[in-house]
């Protein structure tokens, strides 16, 4: 069971959230909100904790914010790990996993083998999927980091230790995969620049060795469905546009010294055709959009799944961007026919059924409100989009004490039925947002979850092949 502290915080959290949601719903009924135009808001400073400092360089990760759409409030926060400047060092010691005869039995819980292993806590399902339960109290001294490296931030800090920004210089850059991260908050709260989301994205950027783009999508009820979903897709198109602009920039940079002027003029015309858009230097120097991963937290999982579907539909139209995998962390799925977990845990921690209904009423318009709306239920019959067999590999993270767990597991099972790599990681004694909530971010379980995600993701973003066993 969750600790007493978690239970008490859950009561306070639900009381405050319910009051805010009801206030917004009442204001919506009185036409006080919802008509503020399409610009929208991406955070609520009056309700959330203070935003994390930016730009900054902390824990080996540099950040900066970019407003990418002139007509809306859509923005991204870029998290660039300093491993873009050097390869991470490899530990000389072999990875943990082979224990001596006199070692503690608890070491058996340290490593997970998602395929064909009989380790403690691993249960293989009949359809090839794997349901993994992890004990909460695992000795972290036995856990391996996803890569062992000591960060050298001399290139990103000045002599007095103050962050002075970073501008790529030269051509010898290390290119990293790009991960689009969508924060949680029931579509009505949360932000990409909150302290908790900032901490989580830094952790993921370090462990996965990726550039993280935390998406600040528009919130409801000021902007209802499909605003948040469209914002997620817009960021993916912006990433493709940045890659193409970077290629144009390279072409323009090479038109010197006896090069055909007509070719130079053509390249300049192509660059001008993009309008006022500018090349983002971090992505141009270090980003590899051909290895793009989507990660969604809670309601962000719904957005990530939508963006993945649209990416499959677009196909080569998104070149050079290619979505190679997605991670759904306790997605905000619901449906008109309740699942076993929704019945058993209707009054679950942090987000109970009443709270979820309020959030969906604020997100969906009155005319299209339905618990079987395609945005809410991924398995609703007749849902538009590509067949499930074309979906990218999907890792689903669920918590034992989360009412939404069964529906997320059911979606993963449907993906596995059509031969999509879709493992499920279930964490024992965990609650909704156990790895991303501000109070729980620094727990061993949250750290272990991030490391487990990194192991799986590296299967699909590694340039050297699938050398990471999972």
């Amino acid at each position: 069971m969750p600790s007493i502290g978690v239970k008490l915080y859950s009561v306070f959290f639900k009381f405050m959230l319910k009051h805010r949601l009801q206030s917004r719903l009442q204001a919506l009924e009185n036409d006080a909100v919802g008509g503020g135009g399409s610009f929208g808001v991406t955070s609520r400073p009056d309700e959330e904790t203070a935003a994390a400092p930016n730009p900054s360089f902390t824990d080996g990760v540099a950040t900066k914010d970019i407003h990418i759409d002139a007509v809306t409030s859509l923005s991204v926060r870029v998290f660039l790990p300093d491993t873009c400047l050097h390869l991470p060092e490899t530990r000389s010691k072999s990875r943990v996993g082979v224990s001596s005869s006199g070692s503690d039995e608890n070491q058996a819980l340290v490593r997970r083998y998602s395929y064909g292993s009989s380790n403690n806590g691993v249960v293989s399902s009949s359809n090839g999927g794997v349901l993994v339960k992890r004990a909460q109290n695992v000795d972290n001294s036995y856990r391996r980091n996803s890569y062992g490296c000591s960060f050298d931030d001399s290139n990103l800090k000045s002599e007095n230790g103050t962050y002075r920004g970073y501008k790529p210089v030269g051509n010898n850059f290390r290119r990293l995969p790009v991960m689009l991260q969508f924060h949680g908050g029931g579509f009505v709260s949360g932000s990409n620049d909150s302290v908790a989301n900032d901490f989580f994205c830094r952790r993921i950027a370090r462990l996965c060795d990726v550039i993280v783009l935390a998406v600040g999508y528009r919130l409801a009820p000021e902007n209802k469905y499909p605003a948040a979903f469209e914002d997620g897709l817009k960021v993916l198109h912006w990433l493709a546009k940045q890659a193409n602009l970077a290629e144009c920039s390279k072409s323009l940079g090479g038109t010197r010294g006896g090069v055909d002027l007509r070719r130079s003029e053509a390249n300049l015309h192509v660059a001008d055709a993009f309008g006022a858009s500018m090349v983002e230097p971090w992505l141009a120097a270090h980003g590899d959009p051909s290895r793009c991963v989507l990660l969604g937290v809670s309601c962000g999982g719904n957005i990530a799944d939508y963006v993945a579907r649209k990416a499959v539909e677009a196909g080569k139209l998104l070149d050079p961007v290619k979505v190679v995998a997605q991670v759904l962390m306790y997605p905000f799925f619901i449906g008109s026919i309740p699942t076993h977990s929704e019945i058993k845990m209707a009054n679950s921690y942090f987000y109970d059924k009443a709270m979820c209904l309020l959030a969906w009423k604020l997100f969906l318009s009155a005319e299209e409100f339905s618990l079987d709306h395609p945005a809410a239920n991924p398995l609703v019959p007749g849902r538009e989009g590509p067949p499930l067999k074309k979906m990218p590999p999907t890792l689903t993270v669920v918590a034992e004490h989360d009412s939404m767990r069964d529906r997320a597991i059911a979606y993963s099972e449907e993906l596995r039925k059509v031969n999509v790599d879709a493992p499920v990681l279930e964490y024992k004694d965990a609650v909704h947002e156990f790895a991303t909530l501000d109070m729980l971010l620094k727990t061993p379980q949250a750290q272990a979850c991030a490391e487990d995600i990194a192991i799986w993701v590296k299967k699909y973003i590694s340039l050297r092949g699938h050398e990471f066993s999972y």
Side-chain angles (χ1 to χ4, degrees), residues 248 252 260-273:
C248 290
L252 290 172
D260 188 353
L261 292 178
R262 288 176 297 177
R263 180 181 176 186
S264 177
E265 292 173 358
N267 286 327
L268 183 61
H269 176 72
V270 171
D272 286 344

Side-chain angles (χ1 to χ4, degrees), residues 201-444:
C201 288
R202 289 180 188 276
R203 172 181 280 171
I204 290 294
R206 291 195 313 271
L207 294 176
C208 295
D209 199 19
V210 297
I211 300 174
V212 176
L213 302 182
V215 180
Y217 55 85
R218 289 171 290 171
L219 301 177
E222 289 84 355
N223 293 95
K224 292 179 171 289
Y225 173 86
F229 287 67
E230 291 176 344
D231 286 351
L233 184 59
K234 192 176 293 184
V235 172
L236 195 67
H237 283 285
W238 175 81
L239 180 60
K241 184 176 180 179
Q242 284 296 318
N244 290 322
L245 281 171
E247 289 300 319
C248 290
S249 179
K250 289 180 182 178
S251 300
L252 290 172
T255 55
R256 295 178 183 176
V259 178
D260 188 353
L261 292 178
R262 288 176 297 177
R263 180 181 176 186
S264 177
E265 292 173 358
N267 286 327
L268 183 61
H269 176 72
V270 171
D272 286 344
F274 284 100
S277 298
M278 297 177 62
V279 178
E280 162 47 42
W282 288 10
L283 292 176
H286 300 294
D288 182 359
S290 66
R291 294 179 289 160
C292 182
V293 180
L294 308 177
L295 186 148
V297 177
S298 189
C299 67
N302 300 46
I303 301 175
D305 188 64
Y306 171 85
V307 174
R309 288 173 180 265
K310 290 299 181 181
V312 171
E313 286 182 346
K316 293 185 178 180
L317 294 177
L318 275 175
D319 281 350
V321 173
K322 182 179 179 181
V323 176
V324 297
Q326 68 169 338
V327 180
L328 308 181
M329 300 182 67
Y330 23 82
F332 204 60
F333 294 153
I334 199 170
S336 59
I337 302 177
T339 63
H340 177 71
S341 62
E342 289 172 350
I343 296 173
K344 182 180 179 181
M345 292 179 280
N347 192 32
S348 59
Y349 302 97
F350 295 102
Y351 286 92
D352 56 29
K353 187 171 183 178
M355 217 85 69
C356 294
L357 288 175
L358 278 175
W360 281 109
K361 286 181 179 179
L362 288 167
F363 182 59
L364 299 174
S365 64
E367 296 77 17
E368 58 182 351
F369 174 77
S370 170
L371 295 184
D372 284 329
H373 190 281
N377 189 351
L379 297 177
V380 62
R383 184 182 183 184
E384 297 180 357
L388 291 181
K389 65 180 180 180
K390 293 186 178 181
M391 290 293 286
T394 302
L395 173 66
T396 304
V397 176
V398 297
E400 181 183 18
H401 299 288
D402 183 5
S403 63
M404 293 172 265
R405 60 181 290 276
D406 282 359
R407 204 171 297 274
I409 293 173
Y411 181 49
S412 181
E413 289 175 350
E414 291 300 315
L415 290 172
R416 288 196 298 273
K417 288 179 181 178
V418 290
N419 297 322
V420 175
D421 181 21
V424 173
L425 306 184
E426 181 178 8
Y427 290 80
K428 187 178 180 181
D429 293 334
V431 296
H432 190 78
E433 291 216 44
F434 72 92
T436 48
L437 199 64
D438 49 3
M439 178 189 178
L440 305 174
L441 267 172
K442 297 185 179 181
T443 61

Side-chain angles (χ1 to χ4, degrees), residues 52-53 63 77 79 192-202:
T63 66
R77 172 164 289 191
F79 294 82
N192 66 328
D193 62 359
S194 67
V195 173
N197 199 69
D198 185 270
F199 184 93
F200 174 74
C201 288
R202 289 180 188 276

Side-chain angles (χ1 to χ4, degrees), residues 136-156:
Q136 184 171 4
N137 299 321
V138 177
D139 187 355
N140 268 355
S141 63
Y142 294 113
R143 285 199 61 84
R144 79 282 171 271
N145 201 342
S146 292
Y147 55 79
C149 62
S150 58
F151 293 108
D152 178 14
D153 53 20
S154 59
N155 291 314
L156 296 173

